[in-house]
Amino acid sequence: MDELIGNLLVAQSGGPTAVINASIAGVIQEARQHACMSGLYGGLNGILGILKEELIDLKREKASTIKALKHTPGAALGTCRYKIDFKKKPERAAHDMDRLFQVFQAHNIRFFFYAGGNDSQDTAHKIHLEAVKRDYAMRIIGVPKTIDNDLPHTDHCPGFGSTAKYNACTTMEVAVDIGSMATDDGACGVIEVMGRSAGWIAASTILARRQPSDPPHIILLPEIPFDQQAFLDKVKSVVDTQKYCVVVVGEGLKNPDGTEFSADATRLDAFGHPILAGAGERVAELVQGKLNTKTRSIKLGYAQRCAAHYASATDVAEALACGAAAVRAAAEGRSGLMVKIVRTQSNPYLWTTGLQPLEDIANVEHMIPRNWISEDGFSPNEKFVEYARPLIEGEVKVPAEGGLPKFAVFAKRRLRCKLPPRA
Amino acid sequence: MDELIGNLLVAQSGGPTAVINASIAGVIQEARQHACMSGLYGGLNGILGILKEELIDLKREKASTIKALKHTPGAALGTCRYKIDFKKKPERAAHDMDRLFQVFQAHNIRFFFYAGGNDSQDTAHKIHLEAVKRDYAMRIIGVPKTIDNDLPHTDHCPGFGSTAKYNACTTMEVAVDIGSMATDDGACGVIEVMGRSAGWIAASTILARRQPSDPPHIILLPEIPFDQQAFLDKVKSVVDTQKYCVVVVGEGLKNPDGTEFSADATRLDAFGHPILAGAGERVAELVQGKLNTKTRSIKLGYAQRCAAHYASATDVAEALACGAAAVRAAAEGRSGLMVKIVRTQSNPYLWTTGLQPLEDIANVEHMIPRNWISEDGFSPNEKFVEYARPLIEGEVKVPAEGGLPKFAVFAKRRLRCKLPPRA
């Protein structure tokens, strides 16, 4: 292994999760154990802030702040959706890459960690290839993060377990509420959850179902083309027997022709734009309109990806471990890899971390296997339950002040800029 | 005081809250201390189930079930929205009243407790008047319950504190998420909360604001006519200085002409009905359309009234105490009253329970005083904060199984019917 000494840079990218900051805590805590990593820097707002040379000194942050990262939602370093796009904007991309390596060189960055989903791992991969090409000694490790749980090769993604836990709990709570209101007239509740192409999040609400007749009674997955008549028949049958029906809808629900169910071009808003009403609201309209059953909808939106107050303790521990494993891998001389979670057994649940080449990850989407979904398509089956159950285990205790959580806020002591401003 | 011995009947009515079952636990636990209350019965689905003679024996429920009521959302006895309406349906109402007293007499009900909001207290009041008129010895006490917090004479209503706590926490979490995503392009998040006429719920999200510049930046209350231009100016100014803006909207937001902002007759759904898009979604469309700022909306819906996993410990204790106080009042010979919460001081917070004639409660709505709202109408002020702050204090510990809460479920052992079925 080459001896490599220099500074560490960590940044976050894409939509935040309830535990993305736990991974940053893992990076920082582990890095302190490695003398080769002299400076510990954070890049603000992902790659975008690094391009602007917006770096902060993480060694000057309080120990209590680092500790509190474990229960702080949002991206404590800030995040972005910026993509270095060699295909669509090759000139801009080449320019960005030059600038990135100027920043790396100016601050002697030799260890780079990027926490994110598909796009972010793609960015990390491109930076790795570029470092090799430029013969710039730097070790790049990706840290997985996405509530969507759609990264390949890792058993699951940090962030998913907490969203699954919060959504399943919300489904249980809403279900007893609606169930207790149900009279002979019947009642229906529709809960829209995130997941544009993969249905992992919607599917995970199955964990609320302890007995076969328990809610959620129907789960509409983006993977299964939406058969409206079969759905309405099922709602009617559930309401007839149980007086109420709870439906969970993945926001990316598709029509049989592959178009998105929520995009209704026939409805325009006050400005003449087509209304993206949300799949949940449209499903609720369908039930109310066709079955005349009183129906209420809920759209959890961002609330489901930042509910640190009900995070999964398993998820927090895994997110932390992924950050730490990334640092250990880099210290051992590895590069161009993403940390993955490896399940060694389901019951009792045992896991460890592993490494996977970034080129295997970038831009590959991992969907729910069809044989993890019931034949009628309205529910994941016991294979999915066995997979998802351990990921929501364990409660966290979030420090409170005045009845509300206390979050970590970085002081963000900026490093002095060494380069001219970005062109 | 007359000596009165007989059976107790308790029932729930209207929309459930996170703590409505804590009040039932309070009734049951206190009733066991009073020998005059021989049988302890529950009416299923409020007045509607009592009319159908659907009564259960609460003495046959397990002690662990009674204990678990304190963290079980929904109405454990079932609820209804049925109204005994002497004005609109006098014949039906008279018929219902006859039937009710037949049920009371058949089961020797001498103590009746009804947990609910405005309409339910009105029902309790009518039953009290009827008992007096019929010279039927029965003591009737109302137990306050509503997340809307719009009952008069009580300092606040059990249920409100837990909704306020959950919504304020969600606002904090969503705000750090959106704030961490905000780049120079700006971002806006709109959170719709319940409250059709009173803005207590929307206003309580102010508790998420610890520093003057903290989110939520704007709170739109149903009490304040919606000035779209002033609102858009304010959003723009917040985004200009902070890069993001978090807006909370009460669902009952009104236009200056008094109509509901969410009801847009120009938009029809697939069945030709006007779309009630939800105030939050419409506000989001407005910001996106007029300011071209990326805007996402959240509609918490029922989730905010059943979030027992994040209930306020203060609220749980008060709900329990209200149930117990109702039983004590009846045991002391009182009737025709509602239990109220009396604040003796705000800081440190001290409270006790009191009693108010039901006739003072029924059909009166308690709104936020105008001088508790900022001059520009976009936020409650420090008077409101002083009022609301203590109500969200304290965290509960909900027993978990497999990472999810365990709720109480009544075994519901039915009493034998003594009357012919309801006509």
Side-chain angles (χ1 to χ4, degrees):
Chain A
M1 178 176 95
D2 294 343
E3 179 78 31
L4 183 63
I5 296 174
N7 298 320
L8 172 155
L9 179 62
V10 59
Q12 301 171 307
S13 175
T17 76
V19 302
I20 183 172
N21 296 320
S23 289
I24 304 307
V27 166
I28 297 171
Q29 286 169 1
E30 181 67 29
R32 292 185 189 278
Q33 314 299 318
H34 300 274
C36 61
M37 298 170 183
S38 31
L40 302 186
Y41 304 151
L44 299 183
N45 292 312
I47 217 73
L48 198 59
I50 301 174
L51 287 168
K52 295 188 203 166
E53 211 186 346
E54 292 173 352
L55 311 183
I56 65 167
D57 188 348
L58 293 170
K59 282 198 171 166
R60 298 183 70 181
E61 297 292 340
K62 288 184 192 162
S64 58
T65 305
I66 307 300
K67 194 179 162 205
L69 286 174
K70 278 183 272 186
H71 58 256
T72 298
L77 289 167
T79 179
C80 71
R81 290 208 178 275
Y82 192 77
K83 201 173 155 77
I84 299 183
D85 197 335
F86 280 97
K87 274 188 193 147
K88 288 189 191 154
K89 298 177 184 171
E91 252 182 78
R92 178 89 231 169
H95 193 79
D96 280 348
M97 216 35 115
D98 284 344
R99 172 77 182 180
L100 268 185
F101 278 84
Q102 285 162 17
V103 175
F104 291 153
Q105 205 135 24
H107 295 276
N108 193 32
I109 305 298
R110 298 294 169 176
F111 306 93
F112 178 56
F113 304 95
Y114 208 37
N118 276 298
D119 280 351
S120 319
Q121 303 303 335
D122 182 45
T123 300
H125 183 226
K126 282 178 183 139
I127 294 173
H128 168 67
L129 294 178
E130 196 74 20
V132 173
K133 200 172 86 182
R134 291 172 188 242
D135 202 20
Y136 178 78
M138 181 164 73
R139 294 169 191 162
I140 294 118
I141 307 283
V143 181
K145 173 257 22 157
T146 169
I147 63 163
D148 291 333
N149 201 40
D150 59 355
L151 291 176
H153 299 289
T154 184
D155 179 78
H156 56 279
C157 302
F160 170 62
S162 293
T163 295
K165 183 183 178 89
Y166 171 77
N167 284 357
C169 174
T170 301
T171 301
M172 282 182 72
E173 291 174 336
V174 168
V176 291
D177 185 303
I178 294 177
S180 76
M181 300 262 293
T183 58
D184 295 338
D185 298 334
C188 180
V190 178
I191 303 172
E192 179 188 311
V193 301
M194 289 175 115
R196 196 148 287 284
S197 49
W200 296 101
I201 295 174
S204 66
T205 58
I206 188 76
L207 298 172
R209 193 192 291 169
R210 285 177 177 152
Q211 303 295 330
S213 64
D214 278 357
H217 306 101
I218 300 173
I219 298 175
L220 299 175
L221 303 168
E223 284 91 343
I224 305 290
F226 185 36
D227 178 340
Q228 297 193 15
Q229 194 52 54
F231 165 72
L232 288 167
D233 291 347
K234 175 119 188 175
V235 173
K236 187 169 181 318
S237 134
V238 173
V239 172
D240 284 349
T241 53
Q242 300 204 45
K243 295 191 179 178
Y244 76 111
C245 181
V246 175
V247 180
V248 173
V249 188
E251 61 177 344
L253 185 64
K254 307 283 186 307
N255 293 312
D257 66 3
T259 56
E260 280 206 9
F261 177 70
S262 66
D264 178 358
T266 66
R267 283 164 44 179
L268 304 179
D269 69 15
F271 310 97
H273 311 134
I275 292 174
L276 292 172
E281 200 198 319
R282 289 211 60 213
V283 167
E285 280 172 18
L286 190 68
V287 173
Q288 180 91 48
K290 292 280 190 184
L291 301 180
N292 198 26
T293 299
K294 184 183 164 178
T295 304
R296 290 286 176 271
S297 71
I298 291 172
K299 182 183 169 186
L300 292 173
Y302 286 174
Q304 72 201 276
R305 74 181 191 192
C306 55
H309 76 276
Y310 202 66
S312 153
T314 302
D315 193 25
V316 174
E318 291 179 341
L320 197 88
C322 284
V327 171
R328 278 198 307 275
E332 288 163 8
R334 314 290 301 271
S335 186
L337 303 161
M338 185 190 81
V339 175
K340 63 181 177 182
I341 297 172
V342 179
R343 180 189 303 236
T344 48
Q345 65 176 53
S346 271
N347 194 8
Y349 176 58
L350 290 174
W351 61 279
T352 183
T353 58
L355 295 164
Q356 188 80 25
L358 280 166
E359 61 185 331
D360 299 348
I361 306 288
N363 305 315
V364 179
E365 258 184 339
H366 179 51
M367 316 297 272
I368 305 179
R370 183 58 183 89
N371 68 344
W372 287 19
I373 302 171
S374 67
E375 209 173 320
D376 70 3
F378 288 132
S379 175
N381 63 23
E382 69 290 348
K383 288 196 185 77
F384 180 92
V385 171
E386 187 189 346
Y387 164 81
R389 192 185 280 137
L391 312 183
I392 66 164
E393 282 279 3
E395 285 66 52
V396 294
K397 177 134 182 66
V398 177
E401 185 175 44
L404 293 172
K406 276 173 75 174
F407 297 147
V409 180
F410 279 134
K412 294 189 182 170
R413 302 294 288 263
R414 288 283 183 94
L415 296 193
R416 197 172 53 78
C417 288
K418 299 186 176 182
L419 298 173
R422 181 188 180 210
Chain B
M1 179 178 95
D2 294 344
E3 179 79 31
L4 183 63
I5 297 174
N7 298 320
L8 172 155
L9 179 63
V10 59
Q12 301 171 307
S13 174
T17 76
V19 302
I20 183 172
N21 296 320
S23 289
I24 304 308
V27 166
I28 297 171
Q29 286 169 1
E30 180 66 29
R32 292 185 188 279
Q33 314 300 317
H34 299 275
C36 61
M37 298 170 183
S38 31
L40 302 186
Y41 305 151
L44 299 183
N45 292 310
I47 217 74
L48 199 58
I50 301 173
L51 287 167
K52 294 189 202 165
E53 211 187 345
E54 291 173 352
L55 311 183
I56 64 168
D57 188 347
L58 293 170
K59 280 198 172 166
R60 298 184 70 181
E61 298 291 340
K62 287 183 192 163
S64 58
T65 304
I66 307 301
K67 194 178 162 206
L69 286 174
K70 278 183 272 187
H71 58 256
T72 298
L77 290 168
T79 178
C80 71
R81 290 207 178 277
Y82 191 78
K83 201 173 155 76
I84 300 182
D85 197 335
F86 280 96
K87 274 188 195 150
K88 288 188 191 155
K89 298 178 184 169
E91 252 182 76
R92 178 90 232 169
H95 193 80
D96 280 347
M97 216 37 113
D98 283 344
R99 171 77 181 179
L100 269 184
F101 278 83
Q102 285 162 16
V103 174
F104 292 153
Q105 204 136 23
H107 294 277
N108 193 31
I109 305 298
R110 299 293 169 178
F111 306 93
F112 178 56
F113 304 95
Y114 208 37
N118 276 298
D119 281 351
S120 318
Q121 303 303 334
D122 182 46
T123 300
H125 183 226
K126 283 180 183 140
I127 294 173
H128 167 67
L129 294 179
E130 196 74 19
V132 172
K133 200 174 84 183
R134 291 173 187 242
D135 202 20
Y136 179 80
M138 181 164 73
R139 293 169 190 161
I140 295 118
I141 308 283
V143 180
K145 173 261 19 161
T146 167
I147 63 163
D148 292 333
N149 201 41
D150 58 356
L151 291 177
H153 299 289
T154 183
D155 179 77
H156 56 278
C157 303
F160 170 61
S162 292
T163 295
K165 184 184 178 88
Y166 171 78
N167 284 357
C169 174
T170 300
T171 301
M172 283 182 72
E173 291 174 336
V174 168
V176 292
D177 184 302
I178 294 177
S180 76
M181 299 262 294
T183 58
D184 295 339
D185 298 335
C188 180
V190 178
I191 304 172
E192 179 188 312
V193 301
M194 289 175 115
R196 196 148 287 283
S197 49
W200 296 101
I201 295 175
S204 67
T205 59
I206 188 75
L207 298 172
R209 193 192 289 168
R210 285 177 178 151
Q211 304 294 329
S213 64
D214 278 356
H217 305 101
I218 300 173
I219 298 176
L220 299 174
L221 303 168
E223 283 91 343
I224 305 291
F226 185 36
D227 178 340
Q228 297 194 15
Q229 193 52 55
F231 164 71
L232 287 167
D233 291 347
K234 176 119 187 176
V235 172
K236 188 171 181 317
S237 135
V238 173
V239 171
D240 283 349
T241 52
Q242 301 203 44
K243 296 192 179 176
Y244 77 111
C245 181
V246 174
V247 180
V248 173
V249 188
E251 61 178 344
L253 185 64
K254 306 282 188 307
N255 293 312
D257 66 3
T259 57
E260 281 207 8
F261 176 69
S262 66
D264 178 358
T266 67
R267 285 164 42 181
L268 302 179
D269 69 14
F271 310 97
H273 312 132
I275 292 174
L276 293 173
E281 200 198 319
R282 289 210 61 211
V283 167
E285 280 172 18
L286 189 69
V287 174
Q288 181 90 49
K290 291 280 189 183
L291 300 180
N292 199 25
T293 299
K294 183 182 165 180
T295 304
R296 291 284 176 271
S297 71
I298 291 171
K299 182 183 169 186
L300 292 173
Y302 285 174
Q304 73 200 276
R305 75 180 190 192
C306 55
H309 76 276
Y310 202 66
S312 153
T314 302
D315 194 24
V316 173
E318 291 179 342
L320 196 87
C322 284
V327 171
R328 278 198 306 276
E332 289 163 8
R334 314 290 301 272
S335 185
L337 303 160
M338 185 190 80
V339 175
K340 63 181 176 181
I341 298 173
V342 179
R343 181 189 303 236
T344 48
Q345 65 176 52
S346 272
N347 194 8
Y349 176 58
L350 291 174
W351 61 278
T352 183
T353 57
L355 295 164
Q356 188 79 26
L358 280 167
E359 62 185 331
D360 299 347
I361 306 289
N363 304 315
V364 179
E365 257 184 341
H366 178 51
M367 316 297 273
I368 305 179
R370 182 60 183 88
N371 69 344
W372 287 18
I373 301 171
S374 68
E375 209 174 320
D376 70 4
F378 289 133
S379 175
N381 64 22
E382 69 289 348
K383 289 197 185 76
F384 180 91
V385 172
E386 187 189 343
Y387 164 81
R389 192 185 279 137
L391 313 183
I392 67 165
E393 283 279 3
E395 286 65 53
V396 293
K397 177 134 182 67
V398 177
E401 185 174 43
L404 293 172
K406 276 174 75 174
F407 296 146
V409 180
F410 278 134
K412 294 188 182 169
R413 304 293 288 263
R414 289 282 183 94
L415 296 194
R416 199 171 52 78
C417 286
K418 300 187 176 182
L419 298 172
R422 181 189 181 207

